[in-house]
Amino acid sequence: MSGTPLKDPLDLLDIASVLTDEEREIQATVAKFLADRVRPHIGEWFENAHFARELAPELGKLGVLGMHLEGYGCAGTNAVSYGLACLELEAADSGFRSFVSVQGSLSMFSIWKWGSEEQKQEWLPRLAAGEAIGCFGLTEPDFGSNPSGMRTKAVRDGDDWILNGSKMWITNGGIADVATVWAQTEDGVRGFLVPRGTPGFTTQDIKQKMSLRASITSELYFDQVRLPDSARLPLAQGLRGPLSCLNEARFGILFGVLGAARDSLQAAIGYADSRVQFGKPISAFQLTQKKLTDMTVSLGGAALLAVHLGRLKDQHRIRPEQISVGKLNNVREAIAIARECRTVLGANGVSLEYSPLRHANNLESVRTYEGTDEMHTLVVGQAVTGYPAFR
């Protein structure tokens, strides 16, 4: 007796049925672009630590850069559509979802939410089109989970600001045309837009990564960088500014990682159906079926959580602790799925011919950035108990 394996493990719970026609169409359009332009090359790009910058204008034409923002050349889609685009991007590779997340939810959102009209007009249309690339400088070498301790400072000098300090682990940093940089001032944390080429602003790419290899990760350095007051994001004061941007990025992540998990599971299901041992496909053995079943159930639950949170976001009802639930749970489930799928593939699983170990490596970074498991656990813990336990 022979059967037909699921092509998409999300079909088990008919996840597509809870999406609108427009949402499914957007998801399919993004998937088609990635199948044509990214998937044939991603193994080579990962191995060679290459980010295909030339695809930025194509991603802009596709409409995914800042797609959940209104105006200024942005598509203005709903949150669920943005999430589904992130899912497909990360199904190809976390590096491409990271690029789109940083461009749209960190760089562009910081300008869209906290910038002046002049800053919006100058940067947002170019960033939406992929003609310019942005990055977001918050994390520092000694301050990741505790951004309030940042050492980068901006000091008033007449009508200008003098910026000194450094940032680390900055996606897109080495190729960005503009950096949103957060710094301590006498009035608290403020944001500044620093264009590439500003005297005293330099970058250095981080090499020898074992994760997110098809992505640019950089250090940013600011040595007596003089900025006009027009470079300051006028509406952002305190940590509320950068943290609001992080919540936007975390939302894209909780959808995106579903793509890495789904792609890993598709690879494992297909391999198990074709790999014959002891006279039958290994998918016909009980232990393999248990692995595939557990992972499919886990993925389905994470997908339903993501769609639910997306609906809350579209209703403007989502709370930061709910986004933390999604990021914590879905990244944790995705990395477990990718690792288990590698075991189904056996020794072949260590080859870049198959995606699960590449996804698992990438997800190690995703698990850390935009809030570690520990930080999201404490955010949820405070919501559950009423007690902050961060110190």
Side-chain angles (χ1 to χ4, degrees), residues 264 267-268 271-272 282 340-350 354-356:
S264 297
Y271 182 85
I282 62 172
E340 187 79 320
C341 286
R342 206 292 303 164
T343 72
V344 175
L345 295 166
N348 284 318
V350 305
Y354 299 95
S355 66

Side-chain angles (χ1 to χ4, degrees), residues 270-281:
Y271 182 85
D273 185 56
S274 63
R275 176 69 168 175
V276 175
Q277 292 290 287
F278 303 104
K280 61 181 180 180

